[in-house]
Amino acid sequence: MLTEVLEVFALPRLRSFVDCTLGAAGPSSAIIEAHRELELFVGLDVDPLALDKSRARIEALLSDGSRDELRAYTHVRNFKYIKAVLDGIDENLLSEGVDGIFLDLGLSSMQVDHAERGFSILGDGPLDMRMDPKGTLKAKDIINSWPETEVGRILRDYGEESNWRFLQEKIVNARNGGGLHTTGELSDLVRKASARSGGRQGWIKTATRVFQALRIAVNDELQTLENAIYACFDCLSSGGRLAVISFHSLEDRIVKKTFLELIEVGEGQEDKDDFTLYKNDKFVTEEQSWSKQIVVGRNGVIFTKRPITPCEDEERTSRRCRSAKLRVIQKH
Ligand SMILES: C[S@@+](CC[C@H](N)C(=O)[O-])C[C@H]1O[C@@H](n2cnc3c(N)ncnc32)[C@H](O)[C@@H]1O
């Protein structure tokens, strides 16, 4: 959804930009190239391996000396600490605010493709699933040591898995034989437990939900996301924008709900459903065709009452992209 992200941040002047999920720095490189006026770039990723690559990519972009006015920083840091990071860079930054903040949630292909990180259903690696290699909780701790009811709760609430009771029982029973220690063993258990629902697609879908549930728990993803959205909104300048791409309904629900809480829609401040009426008004310019319905509140405006989703072409070429939802908020 690079085109859409570039459109969202096509502000008249984007002087400062924070990419909270730098990954391989795809969108960040495009933003840096598109905005010659950019004075400050900050990239964060909780995964040091991702950051090594993206740091080199950004340095290469700036190496020709034509962007001397741009200060660029990359930090290995969880995005929930965005305020501390910005404060550490420049003590005036929090009061001035930044013009653009971007979160592209989930895993990078680098993380999924390295079986030893423990995220891959089809590869075989340790049951790890930490995005931050310094984190203390691994998936194997949940699988082999957490109370049975907690294992069930995670499968039900974070995996939205209808067969959670049966899987919970199978996982806990496996402890009698020494427990599960690899992603291959967990996938095998899910495949056998899903034999009744039949077919490769059946068990892979179940395994996707089980792996998602564990990953969310290991990295405390949902609470982190909610806290981070509040922190990011605080860090915006007046007129600054926060854009979040989520990949499953649990994340999207949090983004949608938190945005609404942040802007504080009061009585008489109705949704501006008919976008055409508001073209060229204070909030929506002619170029903003990506924003179909807006919601205006006391503190800001939501440009995506309905989220932006990938175009058909993109859905066809990228499986991961199919479930992507982009939501955008702007601070008054
Ligand atoms: C989908 S990838 C980003 C891909 C990137 N936009 C690109 O195109 O190259 C998500 C990245 O966010 C990072 N990440 C996930 N949760 C994070 C958190 N709480 N704090 C910082 N980084 C996080 C992951 O390590 C991963 O590298």
Side-chain angles (χ1 to χ4, degrees):
M1 297 180 86
L2 182 59
T3 310
E4 291 83 354
V5 171
L6 284 173
E7 282 174 0
V8 163
F9 289 110
L11 292 161
R13 281 197 78 208
L14 188 77
R15 289 156 309 171
S16 44
F17 182 77
V18 183
D19 185 343
C20 287
T21 50
L22 194 56
S28 280
S29 304
I31 292 268
I32 290 173
E33 282 183 309
H35 290 272
R36 308 294 299 180
E37 77 280 18
L38 201 62
E39 293 164 10
L40 175 75
F41 170 82
V42 181
L44 308 179
D45 202 298
V46 76
D47 186 341
L49 290 180
L51 216 76
D52 285 347
K53 293 211 166 128
S54 48
R55 193 173 279 154
R57 190 168 176 186
I58 287 167
E59 276 169 12
L61 257 183
L62 306 181
S63 63
D64 70 358
S66 68
R67 305 292 298 270
D68 286 347
E69 72 294 351
L70 172 58
R71 293 182 292 153
Y73 302 86
T74 50
H75 287 267
V76 178
R77 204 74 193 268
N78 192 309
F79 53 57
K80 67 183 173 186
Y81 300 120
I82 182 171
K83 283 186 173 176
V85 172
L86 296 186
D87 198 38
I89 289 173
D90 180 339
E91 57 189 19
N92 297 320
L93 207 48
L94 284 181
S95 51
E96 286 166 13
V98 291
D99 296 337
I101 303 181
F102 178 50
L103 277 84
D104 180 10
L105 300 172
L107 297 170
S108 67
S109 45
M110 284 185 281
Q111 289 163 327
V112 180
D113 294 345
H114 282 93
E116 65 274 19
R117 299 296 299 270
F119 294 114
S120 167
I121 293 164
L122 297 174
D124 198 14
L127 271 173
D128 189 319
M129 301 197 192
R130 290 169 304 163
M131 288 193 204
D132 175 0
K134 289 210 224 78
T136 48
L137 180 67
K138 297 182 184 176
K140 75 174 170 61
D141 303 324
I142 297 174
I143 293 276
N144 297 323
S145 319
W146 276 25
E148 182 167 354
T149 49
E150 278 298 284
V151 174
R153 180 186 66 80
I154 285 170
L155 296 175
R156 187 193 61 210
D157 294 352
Y158 297 165
E160 298 185 302
E161 170 53 44
S162 55
N163 209 14
W164 62 272
R165 267 184 219 280
F166 187 60
L167 286 163
Q168 160 198 324
E169 204 181 296
K170 291 277 170 204
I171 288 170
V172 172
N173 283 347
R175 292 176 184 173
N176 298 328
L180 303 173
H181 297 277
T182 66
T183 52
E185 287 169 359
L186 179 60
S187 292
D188 236 32
L189 179 144
V190 174
R191 190 165 43 75
K192 286 181 188 141
S194 315
R196 287 175 306 173
S197 46
R200 179 177 157 89
Q201 282 313 314
W203 84 261
I204 288 188
K205 280 187 182 152
T206 307
T208 303
R209 290 191 286 270
V210 169
F211 275 61
Q212 171 186 300
L214 288 164
R215 200 196 84 197
I216 289 175
V218 166
N219 299 289
D220 189 22
E221 290 181 31
L222 301 182
Q223 192 58 57
T224 297
L225 175 61
E226 186 175 338
N227 295 347
I229 293 175
Y230 281 108
C232 288
F233 192 75
D234 275 353
C235 294
L236 286 177
S237 60
S238 170
R241 284 183 186 168
L242 165 65
V244 184
I245 301 183
S246 64
F247 289 91
H248 56 78
S249 55
L250 294 171
E251 284 173 345
D252 185 54
R253 237 173 275 155
I254 290 174
V255 181
K256 183 179 172 188
K257 174 179 125 319
T258 313
F259 276 13
L260 276 169
E261 282 168 9
L262 277 167
I263 64 163
E264 291 187 17
V265 185
E267 262 176 64
Q269 289 174 298
E270 288 162 20
D271 299 357
K272 297 190 170 186
D273 273 347
D274 187 354
F275 171 77
T276 53
L277 289 178
Y278 296 93
K279 272 197 171 169
N280 291 321
D281 81 354
K282 186 166 143 200
F283 304 117
V284 183
T285 59
E286 191 68 53
E287 301 81 54
Q288 244 174 257
S289 54
W290 50 268
S291 168
K292 299 280 185 284
Q293 289 176 302
I294 67 172
V295 187
V296 181
R298 263 185 226 108
N299 306 321
V301 48
I302 294 170
F303 285 124
T304 46
K305 188 178 173 200
R306 276 183 293 128
I308 301 167
T309 51
C311 62
E312 275 176 27
D313 266 3
E314 209 170 1
E315 279 189 17
R316 228 174 291 124
T317 50
S318 162
R319 278 197 65 236
R320 174 180 183 264
C321 202
R322 264 175 232 167
S323 52
K325 290 198 167 67
L326 169 60
R327 293 189 185 268
V328 186
I329 190 172
Q330 177 170 301
K331 196 171 182 173
H332 283 335

